[in-house]
Structure formats: structure tokens, C-alpha cells
């Protein structure tokens, strides 16, 4: 008999509130789209799996553990959808684990991360301005991504360029850990001289980076550094996973999943 499963793979988060509103919301929408499949969850961050175990006692599977659990429960056909934003390091790690674990199943198909190809970036560029309140004159929307050192496509630069090209030069994109970094955001602020900057995460969850690096009170946070530049700063602590339109993109990627 063909036993089917849906494995949703996320990076993870230690913030329970955003976990529910983002990772679990995506899992729920995917489960609803594939009612004939049993839902399983895995996180790629071992640090965050340990943190959640220590904080709440909840065990969350690694990818290898989830694959073993599914095989042990008689699953033969697995659809895997990552909630990763990009095909970066975490996604490469997932692909390697699937290569070694796939032999236990008769069928393994995998959906792409949110921004896997240029078409995906165009879709997000068209969507983002509708996800925040409409901007007045003198307002600048800054989307703070994580960044990655392992990208084939310069995703953030392409997204920033498309937002401007589409008539939204009052939206810009920067990343916490890689290029384009905070300096690129600062440059846009100095060009446009906004009276108000709105900061929001360009990350699936609004976890540590959003709470601390973006919206934190200490002088190093983006909020503090932008305020020091002059404009008023407002922070929106909503991960991308909180938006139904974004979750629908993950469902579409799962429907287009290809064999590994
Ligand atoms: Co980080």
C-alpha cells in the first residue's frame, strides 16, 4: 500500500509566538492543500532544536530523524517542502541529508524554497508592497533579510532592483549578515531623506534577528542606527510566514515539487 507523507522543513525559531504564526501556519496551509498526506515536521537548525527542547521540553526532529520516523511508520511516498526563503546553506544541508536518506522510500519529491529562481523574486517583488500599509510621501519601507554567502542568484539585489523598477523606490532591501548590508540601507536613507522609516523582516519568522538586530533597543540595532540618522522609525514584527499570500507561494511550490 502507498502511504503518503508531507514533510515540512524549517530552519526553526526559539520564539514560540512567531513559531505558531509562521512555521505552524505554513505547515497548516500545506497540510490542508495535501489532505491525503500525513504531516511531519523537521528543523534544520540543531541549535534551535536544542533550545526549544531546553525551553519547553518539545522534541523537534532533524531531517534525518523525520526520515527515519516516516520510514518506521510505513511511509513510502514523501513530499518535502522547505519553508526556507532561499537556496542557501540551510537548503544545501537539507539536500545533502535527503540524498543519503531517500533510499528508504519509493518516491521522494521536493518543492523549492520561496526564492529559488528569478521568476520567484519577481513574484515576491510584486507582492511585498501590498503586505505593508501604503506609504505616504516621506516614508521609506526597509525589508531586513538574513542574507547568505552561498547564493547562485543575487536574490536581494534583484529584489531591490525590481521594487524600484516596479514604481516602488520607497521600498528597499538589506541583510543582517551579508551583502547588501546595513550600509546599503543607510545610503538609500541618505538619498531619500525620509521623515519615517518602517522596518520589517524579510524573513519567514520574526525571531532573534528581527527582535534584536532589527527592532532591539541597543545602539547597534537597525532601529537605533536609523533613528540616529534623523527619521522616526517604526518596526513591524511580522515574519513573512504570517501573510497568507506568502504561504500560498509555498503551497504552489509544493504542488510543483520534483523528484529528488
Ligand atoms: Co543569523
Amino acid at each position: 500500500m502507498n502511504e503518503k507523507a508531507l514533510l515540512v522543513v524549517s530552519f526553526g525559531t526559539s520564539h514560540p509566538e512567531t513559531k505558531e504564526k509562521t512555521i505552524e501556519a505554513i505547515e497548516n496551509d500545506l497540510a490542508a492543500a495535501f489532505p491525503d498526506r500525513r504531516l511531519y515536521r523537521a528543523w534544520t537548525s540543531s541549535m534551535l532544536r536544542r533550545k526549544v527542547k531546553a525551553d519547553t521540553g518539545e522534541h523537534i526532529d532533524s531531517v534525518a530523524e523525520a526520515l527515519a520516523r516516516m520510514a518506521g511508520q510505513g511511509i513510502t511516498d514523501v513530499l518535502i517542502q522547505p519553508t526556507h526563503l532561499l537556496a542557501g546553506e540551510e537548503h544545501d544541508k537539507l539536500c545533502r541529508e535527503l540524498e543519503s536518506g531517500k533510499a528508504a522510500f519509493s518516491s521522494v519529491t521536493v518543492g523549492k524554497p520561496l526564492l529559488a529562481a528569478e521568476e520567484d523574486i519577481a513574484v515576491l517583488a510584486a507582492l511585498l508592497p501590498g503586505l505593508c500599509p501604503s506609504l505616504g510621501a516621506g516614508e521609506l519601507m526597509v525589508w531586513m533579510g538574513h542574507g547568505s554567502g552561498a547564493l547562485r542568484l543575487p536574490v536581494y539585489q534583484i529584489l531591490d532592483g525590481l521594487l524600484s523598477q516596479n514604481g516602488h523606490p520607497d521600498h528597499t532591501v538589506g541583510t543582517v549578515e551579508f551583502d547588501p548590508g546595513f550600509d546599503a540601507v543607510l545610503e538609500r536613507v541618505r538619498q531619500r531623506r525620509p521623515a519615517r522609516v518602517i522596518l520589517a523582516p524579510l524573513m519567514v519568522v520574526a525571531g532573534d534577528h528581527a527582535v534584536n538586530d532589527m527592532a532591539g533597543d541597543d545602539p547597534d540595532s537597525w532601529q537605533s542606527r536609523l533613528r540616529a540618522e534623523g527619521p522616526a522609525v517604526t518596526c513591524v514584527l511580522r515574519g513573512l510566514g504570517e501573510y497568507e499570500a506568502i504561504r500560498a507561494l509555498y503551497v504552489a511550490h509544493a504542488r510543483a515539487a520534483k523528484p529528488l
Side-chain angles (χ1 to χ4, degrees), residues 205-227:
V205 307
D208 260 345
H209 282 304
V211 171
N212 300 317
D213 299 315
M214 185 185 90
D217 287 327
D218 78 47
D220 284 350
S221 74
W222 284 29
Q223 162 165 251
S224 302
R225 290 164 79 188
L226 287 170
R227 233 171 235 154

Side-chain angles (χ1 to χ4, degrees), residues 13 90 121 144 148 164-165 174-176 178 182 221 237 239 258:
T13 179
E90 292 302 315
I121 307 172
M144 187 187 86
S148 169
S164 283
Q165 269 176 47
T175 75
V176 204
F178 294 88
F182 181 77
S221 74
L237 278 168
K258 297 222 164 63

Side-chain angles (χ1 to χ4, degrees), residues 55-152:
D55 288 353
T56 70
E58 186 188 3
H59 171 84
I60 294 169
D61 282 343
S62 66
V63 172
E65 286 169 340
L67 294 175
R69 186 185 299 278
M70 288 187 291
Q73 293 177 350
I75 300 296
T76 54
D77 174 329
V78 195
L79 164 62
I80 295 157
Q81 180 58 49
T83 71
H84 298 145
L85 189 74
L86 309 158
E89 267 172 65
E90 292 302 315
H91 191 69
D92 291 347
K93 198 162 91 188
L94 166 65
C95 295
R96 285 195 301 274
E97 288 188 277
L98 294 181
E99 272 309 325
S100 50
K102 71 178 179 186
F105 308 94
S106 57
S107 167
V108 177
T109 50
V110 187
K112 296 204 160 123
L114 192 71
L115 302 177
E118 294 212 40
E119 309 88 82
D120 298 325
I121 307 172
V123 168
L124 186 67
L127 231 150
L128 276 184
L131 300 185
C132 65
S134 61
L135 302 175
E139 292 187 317
L140 176 69
M141 184 76 207
V142 174
W143 295 95
M144 187 187 86
H146 186 274
S148 169
L151 293 178
R152 272 151 295 171

Side-chain angles (χ1 to χ4, degrees), residues 32-51:
F34 296 94
D36 59 330
R37 291 180 179 271
R38 267 172 77 177
L39 176 67
Y40 291 82
R41 164 194 292 168
W43 286 7
T44 51
S45 170
S46 51
M47 190 269 280
L48 290 170
R49 288 197 312 274
R50 279 197 305 274
K51 176 114 179 34

